[in-house]
Amino acid sequence: MTLRLPPGQRAISGFPRFGKDLKNPPPPIPADPVIELGGVLTEGVALSVAELGKLPRREVRADFHCVAGWSATGLVWEGVAFKDFYRVLVEPRLRPGAVVSHLVFVGSDGMRALVLLEDALGEDVLVAERLGGEPLTGDHGAPVRLVSPWQYGYVNIKHLCRIEFHATEPRATDPWSPLAAHARARVWKEERHRRLPGRVVRPLYRGVVVVIRALSAKGGSARQG
């Protein structure tokens, strides 16, 4: 059976580390990790990652698609559905009358992603703690990360430490790519770039893959995936 991939993607073996400042090791894992919640809430709050254990567990088998053109296939993630996280832990804390439209996910490595609420509430979107039956390593986002299989990798924030909830669209936050990343980043629509068609920027993105993999090997820790 031929593997079906989104336009412009090529399957690779393994699952390389990706992200910001790849020449250095991943950020250390805090002894008591938390996810800060901010924005249109009655008050800011820091949720212990341990509180995720109160929500139903979910396993998702999905491919991971990097905007640079490579895809790691058949990954198995485990965690909690973001829609459960939002409805149980966020909605009761919203200011009266607040209608959330956008979220900003922040990682302790400095990465940020602006996401529409409707995309974040997608069926397979997880706050994940495990990959391939094992706890996440630093290379792949420990202690917890966002997993949104239908969006390019730069939306899938690793080392998740803060989520901001907004009633209007905040100022655009470009992730690590030097190009103007698309606001929705849907892989099957090839939304790689904010202004240019995805097929136009494919060659430029592919040109950085070798560099990314070399830096990943230099700065990474244990391989996973």
Side-chain angles (χ1 to χ4, degrees):
M1 181 177 178
T2 303
L3 179 67
R4 183 169 178 255
L5 292 174
Q9 296 298 117
R10 299 173 180 174
I12 62 167
S13 60
F15 183 23
R17 181 184 175 217
F18 76 99
K20 186 176 182 181
D21 200 16
L22 292 175
K23 66 181 181 299
N24 291 319
I29 301 173
D32 186 17
V34 299
I35 301 174
E36 296 179 353
L37 306 181
V40 291
L41 307 179
T42 53
E43 61 180 358
V45 64
L47 294 176
S48 169
V49 168
E51 292 188 55
L52 298 180
K54 300 176 183 178
L55 300 176
R57 304 292 298 175
R58 178 95 189 276
E59 184 177 281
V60 170
R61 177 180 292 273
D63 301 335
F64 179 93
H65 306 292
C66 181
V67 73
W70 57 262
S71 296
T73 60
L75 303 177
V76 180
W77 303 96
E78 185 181 341
V80 301
F82 183 79
K83 63 181 179 180
D84 290 338
F85 178 97
Y86 182 77
R87 288 166 181 159
V88 174
L89 299 177
V90 178
E91 282 189 338
R93 294 181 164 95
L94 293 176
R95 295 174 192 163
V99 178
V100 174
S101 61
H102 294 76
L103 295 79
V104 176
F105 293 89
V106 183
S108 60
D109 58 355
M111 293 283 286
R112 298 169 64 88
L114 175 62
V115 182
L116 290 177
L117 177 63
E118 64 184 280
D119 291 338
L121 296 180
E123 186 63 30
D124 291 338
V125 180
L126 298 182
V127 178
E129 305 156 279
R130 299 174 70 85
L131 170 60
E134 300 290 337
L136 291 173
T137 64
D139 281 358
H140 292 303
V144 293
R145 63 172 295 159
L146 183 70
V147 172
S148 184
W150 293 88
Q151 294 177 288
Y152 286 114
Y154 62 77
V155 173
N156 292 238
I157 293 296
K158 301 190 295 184
H159 321 291
L160 183 62
C161 65
R162 180 174 175 81
I163 309 172
E164 300 168 3
F165 302 89
H166 297 271
T168 59
E169 182 176 1
R171 189 173 180 178
T173 54
D174 281 340
W176 64 272
S177 171
L179 297 179
H182 196 282
R184 300 196 71 180
R186 292 171 293 185
V187 299
W188 289 98
K189 293 180 178 291
E190 201 171 0
E191 294 173 333
R192 300 180 194 270
H193 194 278
R194 192 174 301 144
R195 290 177 291 274
L196 300 175
R199 64 182 183 279
V200 172
V201 296
R202 285 181 200 171
L204 179 57
Y205 277 118
R206 286 175 179 166
V208 303
V209 171
V210 174
V211 176
I212 290 172
R213 298 202 73 160
L215 289 174
S216 297
K218 181 177 179 180
S221 55
R223 299 268 75 78
Q224 183 177 9

